mmCIF file of all heavy atoms in Angstrom:
data_model
loop_
_atom_site.group_PDB
_atom_site.id
_atom_site.type_symbol
_atom_site.label_atom_id
_atom_site.label_comp_id
_atom_site.label_asym_id
_atom_site.label_seq_id
_atom_site.Cartn_x
_atom_site.Cartn_y
_atom_site.Cartn_z
ATOM 1 N N VAL C 15 -10.334 20.602 -62.292
ATOM 2 C CA VAL C 15 -11.177 20.875 -63.449
ATOM 3 C C VAL C 15 -10.336 21.489 -64.561
ATOM 4 O O VAL C 15 -10.378 21.058 -65.729
ATOM 5 C CB VAL C 15 -12.342 21.812 -63.082
ATOM 6 C CG1 VAL C 15 -13.151 22.180 -64.325
ATOM 7 C CG2 VAL C 15 -13.243 21.172 -62.028
ATOM 8 N N HIS C 16 -9.537 22.489 -64.231
ATOM 9 C CA HIS C 16 -8.690 23.152 -65.224
ATOM 10 C C HIS C 16 -7.671 22.178 -65.809
ATOM 11 O O HIS C 16 -7.420 22.174 -67.026
ATOM 12 C CB HIS C 16 -7.953 24.329 -64.588
ATOM 13 C CG HIS C 16 -8.856 25.319 -63.927
ATOM 14 N ND1 HIS C 16 -8.436 26.148 -62.901
ATOM 15 C CD2 HIS C 16 -10.169 25.623 -64.138
ATOM 16 C CE1 HIS C 16 -9.438 26.921 -62.520
ATOM 17 N NE2 HIS C 16 -10.501 26.619 -63.245
ATOM 18 N N GLU C 17 -7.074 21.375 -64.938
ATOM 19 C CA GLU C 17 -6.036 20.440 -65.366
ATOM 20 C C GLU C 17 -6.584 19.388 -66.324
ATOM 21 O O GLU C 17 -6.015 19.136 -67.400
ATOM 22 C CB GLU C 17 -5.444 19.765 -64.121
ATOM 23 C CG GLU C 17 -4.375 18.724 -64.401
ATOM 24 C CD GLU C 17 -3.833 18.147 -63.106
ATOM 25 O OE1 GLU C 17 -4.607 17.513 -62.353
ATOM 26 O OE2 GLU C 17 -2.639 18.358 -62.841
ATOM 27 N N ILE C 18 -7.695 18.773 -65.968
ATOM 28 C CA ILE C 18 -8.257 17.720 -66.801
ATOM 29 C C ILE C 18 -8.851 18.301 -68.080
ATOM 30 O O ILE C 18 -8.758 17.690 -69.152
ATOM 31 C CB ILE C 18 -9.286 16.897 -65.999
ATOM 32 C CG1 ILE C 18 -8.573 16.135 -64.872
ATOM 33 C CG2 ILE C 18 -10.044 15.939 -66.898
ATOM 34 C CD1 ILE C 18 -9.501 15.446 -63.899
ATOM 35 N N HIS C 19 -9.435 19.488 -68.002
ATOM 36 C CA HIS C 19 -9.923 20.166 -69.204
ATOM 37 C C HIS C 19 -8.768 20.375 -70.186
ATOM 38 O O HIS C 19 -8.921 20.178 -71.403
ATOM 39 C CB HIS C 19 -10.555 21.503 -68.826
ATOM 40 C CG HIS C 19 -11.122 22.262 -69.975
ATOM 41 N ND1 HIS C 19 -10.350 23.088 -70.764
ATOM 42 C CD2 HIS C 19 -12.383 22.331 -70.481
ATOM 43 C CE1 HIS C 19 -11.105 23.633 -71.702
ATOM 44 N NE2 HIS C 19 -12.345 23.191 -71.549
ATOM 45 N N HIS C 20 -7.611 20.767 -69.665
ATOM 46 C CA HIS C 20 -6.426 20.971 -70.504
ATOM 47 C C HIS C 20 -6.016 19.665 -71.194
ATOM 48 O O HIS C 20 -5.705 19.656 -72.394
ATOM 49 C CB HIS C 20 -5.282 21.498 -69.640
ATOM 50 C CG HIS C 20 -3.998 21.693 -70.369
ATOM 51 N ND1 HIS C 20 -3.762 22.763 -71.190
ATOM 52 C CD2 HIS C 20 -2.864 20.935 -70.402
ATOM 53 C CE1 HIS C 20 -2.539 22.680 -71.697
ATOM 54 N NE2 HIS C 20 -1.979 21.574 -71.231
ATOM 55 N N LEU C 21 -6.017 18.575 -70.440
ATOM 56 C CA LEU C 21 -5.655 17.280 -71.022
ATOM 57 C C LEU C 21 -6.665 16.847 -72.077
ATOM 58 O O LEU C 21 -6.280 16.373 -73.160
ATOM 59 C CB LEU C 21 -5.559 16.224 -69.917
ATOM 60 C CG LEU C 21 -5.286 14.788 -70.382
ATOM 61 C CD1 LEU C 21 -3.975 14.695 -71.151
ATOM 62 C CD2 LEU C 21 -5.279 13.835 -69.184
ATOM 63 N N LEU C 22 -7.949 17.003 -71.806
ATOM 64 C CA LEU C 22 -8.968 16.623 -72.782
ATOM 65 C C LEU C 22 -8.845 17.455 -74.054
ATOM 66 O O LEU C 22 -9.059 16.939 -75.166
ATOM 67 C CB LEU C 22 -10.360 16.775 -72.180
ATOM 68 C CG LEU C 22 -10.712 15.859 -71.004
ATOM 69 C CD1 LEU C 22 -12.131 16.125 -70.525
ATOM 70 C CD2 LEU C 22 -10.525 14.390 -71.359
ATOM 71 N N GLY C 23 -8.484 18.720 -73.904
ATOM 72 C CA GLY C 23 -8.271 19.552 -75.075
ATOM 73 C C GLY C 23 -7.104 19.068 -75.905
ATOM 74 O O GLY C 23 -7.159 19.081 -77.148
ATOM 75 N N ALA C 24 -6.034 18.632 -75.246
ATOM 76 C CA ALA C 24 -4.875 18.102 -75.959
ATOM 77 C C ALA C 24 -5.235 16.818 -76.699
ATOM 78 O O ALA C 24 -4.781 16.580 -77.830
ATOM 79 C CB ALA C 24 -3.727 17.859 -74.977
ATOM 80 N N ILE C 25 -6.060 15.981 -76.074
ATOM 81 C CA ILE C 25 -6.492 14.741 -76.718
ATOM 82 C C ILE C 25 -7.376 15.053 -77.923
ATOM 83 O O ILE C 25 -7.187 14.493 -79.009
ATOM 84 C CB ILE C 25 -7.242 13.857 -75.700
ATOM 85 C CG1 ILE C 25 -6.285 13.364 -74.605
ATOM 86 C CG2 ILE C 25 -7.912 12.675 -76.406
ATOM 87 C CD1 ILE C 25 -6.986 12.695 -73.435
ATOM 88 N N LYS C 26 -8.333 15.947 -77.737
ATOM 89 C CA LYS C 26 -9.284 16.272 -78.797
ATOM 90 C C LYS C 26 -8.587 16.944 -79.985
ATOM 91 O O LYS C 26 -8.848 16.598 -81.150
ATOM 92 C CB LYS C 26 -10.365 17.200 -78.243
ATOM 93 C CG LYS C 26 -11.312 17.793 -79.293
ATOM 94 C CD LYS C 26 -12.240 16.754 -79.903
ATOM 95 C CE LYS C 26 -13.183 17.367 -80.924
ATOM 96 N NZ LYS C 26 -14.093 18.377 -80.326
ATOM 97 N N ASN C 27 -7.694 17.885 -79.710
ATOM 98 C CA ASN C 27 -7.124 18.718 -80.756
ATOM 99 C C ASN C 27 -5.738 18.279 -81.224
ATOM 100 O O ASN C 27 -5.183 18.890 -82.137
ATOM 101 C CB ASN C 27 -7.057 20.169 -80.258
ATOM 102 C CG ASN C 27 -8.422 20.707 -79.886
ATOM 103 O OD1 ASN C 27 -9.402 20.505 -80.593
ATOM 104 N ND2 ASN C 27 -8.499 21.383 -78.738
ATOM 105 N N GLY C 28 -5.180 17.256 -80.572
ATOM 106 C CA GLY C 28 -3.852 16.800 -80.942
ATOM 107 C C GLY C 28 -2.755 17.789 -80.588
ATOM 108 O O GLY C 28 -1.688 17.804 -81.207
ATOM 109 N N THR C 29 -2.996 18.609 -79.570
ATOM 110 C CA THR C 29 -2.023 19.604 -79.140
ATOM 111 C C THR C 29 -1.149 19.057 -78.015
ATOM 112 O O THR C 29 -1.427 18.001 -77.444
ATOM 113 C CB THR C 29 -2.737 20.884 -78.678
ATOM 114 O OG1 THR C 29 -3.741 20.534 -77.706
ATOM 115 C CG2 THR C 29 -3.416 21.571 -79.847
ATOM 116 N N ASP C 30 -0.102 19.807 -77.697
ATOM 117 C CA ASP C 30 0.834 19.356 -76.666
ATOM 118 C C ASP C 30 0.278 19.612 -75.265
ATOM 119 O O ASP C 30 -0.371 20.638 -75.024
ATOM 120 C CB ASP C 30 2.163 20.081 -76.807
ATOM 121 C CG ASP C 30 2.922 19.698 -78.075
ATOM 122 O OD1 ASP C 30 2.689 18.581 -78.572
ATOM 123 O OD2 ASP C 30 3.735 20.517 -78.546
ATOM 124 N N VAL C 31 0.566 18.709 -74.355
ATOM 125 C CA VAL C 31 0.249 18.922 -72.945
ATOM 126 C C VAL C 31 1.167 20.003 -72.371
ATOM 127 O O VAL C 31 0.743 20.866 -71.603
ATOM 128 C CB VAL C 31 0.374 17.608 -72.162
ATOM 129 C CG1 VAL C 31 0.317 17.853 -70.653
ATOM 130 C CG2 VAL C 31 -0.721 16.636 -72.578
ATOM 131 N N ALA C 32 2.447 19.974 -72.742
ATOM 132 C CA ALA C 32 3.395 21.008 -72.331
ATOM 133 C C ALA C 32 3.178 22.268 -73.172
ATOM 134 O O ALA C 32 2.612 22.190 -74.256
ATOM 135 C CB ALA C 32 4.816 20.482 -72.532
ATOM 136 N N PRO C 33 3.610 23.427 -72.691
ATOM 137 C CA PRO C 33 4.372 23.654 -71.458
ATOM 138 C C PRO C 33 3.518 23.944 -70.228
ATOM 139 O O PRO C 33 4.037 23.952 -69.116
ATOM 140 C CB PRO C 33 5.197 24.897 -71.811
ATOM 141 C CG PRO C 33 4.279 25.694 -72.693
ATOM 142 C CD PRO C 33 3.535 24.664 -73.515
ATOM 143 N N TYR C 34 2.211 24.171 -70.411
ATOM 144 C CA TYR C 34 1.409 24.560 -69.247
ATOM 145 C C TYR C 34 1.015 23.364 -68.395
ATOM 146 O O TYR C 34 0.924 23.478 -67.172
ATOM 147 C CB TYR C 34 0.178 25.339 -69.705
ATOM 148 C CG TYR C 34 0.524 26.666 -70.310
ATOM 149 C CD1 TYR C 34 0.292 26.934 -71.647
ATOM 150 C CD2 TYR C 34 1.126 27.653 -69.532
ATOM 151 C CE1 TYR C 34 0.637 28.167 -72.200
ATOM 152 C CE2 TYR C 34 1.478 28.884 -70.073
ATOM 153 C CZ TYR C 34 1.227 29.129 -71.404
ATOM 154 O OH TYR C 34 1.580 30.340 -71.940
ATOM 155 N N GLY C 35 0.777 22.234 -69.005
ATOM 156 C CA GLY C 35 0.549 21.019 -68.249
ATOM 157 C C GLY C 35 1.860 20.291 -68.023
ATOM 158 O O GLY C 35 2.799 20.394 -68.814
ATOM 159 N N ALA C 36 1.939 19.563 -66.916
ATOM 160 C CA ALA C 36 3.139 18.783 -66.618
ATOM 161 C C ALA C 36 3.050 17.437 -67.323
ATOM 162 O O ALA C 36 2.128 16.664 -67.087
ATOM 163 C CB ALA C 36 3.280 18.579 -65.112
ATOM 164 N N THR C 37 4.005 17.159 -68.198
ATOM 165 C CA THR C 37 4.070 15.863 -68.854
ATOM 166 C C THR C 37 4.793 14.868 -67.948
ATOM 167 O O THR C 37 5.306 15.223 -66.879
ATOM 168 C CB THR C 37 4.827 15.971 -70.180
ATOM 169 O OG1 THR C 37 6.204 16.312 -69.889
ATOM 170 C CG2 THR C 37 4.219 17.036 -71.086
ATOM 171 N N PHE C 38 4.884 13.630 -68.396
ATOM 172 C CA PHE C 38 5.647 12.647 -67.631
ATOM 173 C C PHE C 38 7.135 13.007 -67.612
ATOM 174 O O PHE C 38 7.853 12.632 -66.684
ATOM 175 C CB PHE C 38 5.437 11.250 -68.205
ATOM 176 C CG PHE C 38 4.127 10.620 -67.799
ATOM 177 C CD1 PHE C 38 3.148 11.351 -67.157
ATOM 178 C CD2 PHE C 38 3.876 9.276 -68.067
ATOM 179 C CE1 PHE C 38 1.944 10.772 -66.783
ATOM 180 C CE2 PHE C 38 2.677 8.687 -67.699
ATOM 181 C CZ PHE C 38 1.705 9.428 -67.054
ATOM 182 N N GLU C 39 7.611 13.730 -68.622
ATOM 183 C CA GLU C 39 8.997 14.205 -68.551
ATOM 184 C C GLU C 39 9.154 15.173 -67.390
ATOM 185 O O GLU C 39 10.161 15.142 -66.669
ATOM 186 C CB GLU C 39 9.420 14.876 -69.852
ATOM 187 C CG GLU C 39 10.860 15.366 -69.794
ATOM 188 C CD GLU C 39 11.371 15.991 -71.073
ATOM 189 O OE1 GLU C 39 10.580 16.138 -72.029
ATOM 190 O OE2 GLU C 39 12.573 16.350 -71.111
ATOM 191 N N ASP C 40 8.175 16.052 -67.183
ATOM 192 C CA ASP C 40 8.223 16.952 -66.028
ATOM 193 C C ASP C 40 8.199 16.164 -64.720
ATOM 194 O O ASP C 40 8.896 16.504 -63.761
ATOM 195 C CB ASP C 40 7.048 17.923 -66.071
ATOM 196 C CG ASP C 40 7.169 18.947 -67.186
ATOM 197 O OD1 ASP C 40 8.172 19.669 -67.214
ATOM 198 O OD2 ASP C 40 6.259 19.012 -68.035
ATOM 199 N N GLY C 41 7.373 15.109 -64.672
ATOM 200 C CA GLY C 41 7.342 14.267 -63.488
ATOM 201 C C GLY C 41 8.682 13.631 -63.222
ATOM 202 O O GLY C 41 9.144 13.552 -62.068
ATOM 203 N N TYR C 42 9.344 13.174 -64.299
ATOM 204 C CA TYR C 42 10.672 12.578 -64.153
ATOM 205 C C TYR C 42 11.697 13.616 -63.672
ATOM 206 O O TYR C 42 12.496 13.354 -62.773
ATOM 207 C CB TYR C 42 11.126 11.960 -65.480
ATOM 208 C CG TYR C 42 12.618 11.912 -65.611
ATOM 209 C CD1 TYR C 42 13.372 11.055 -64.811
ATOM 210 C CD2 TYR C 42 13.294 12.763 -66.494
ATOM 211 C CE1 TYR C 42 14.758 11.047 -64.889
ATOM 212 C CE2 TYR C 42 14.662 12.756 -66.578
ATOM 213 C CZ TYR C 42 15.400 11.901 -65.777
ATOM 214 O OH TYR C 42 16.773 11.905 -65.849
#
C-alpha cells in the first residue's frame, strides 16, 4: 500500500520515485 501510494503520488505530482522508492536504476 505504501509503495504503490508513493508511485501514484509521483505520477500525479510529477515528482521523483527516488530516493525513497526503488527505481529501475536501483533494480539494475
Side-chain angles (χ1 to χ4, degrees):
V15 175
H16 305 155
E17 178 178 63
I18 294 172
H19 182 275
H20 178 77
L21 176 59
L22 295 180
I25 293 170
K26 171 70 179 297
N27 301 317
T29 52
D30 292 335
V31 169
Y34 293 114
T37 66
F38 282 10
E39 180 177 5
D40 290 303
Y42 153 69

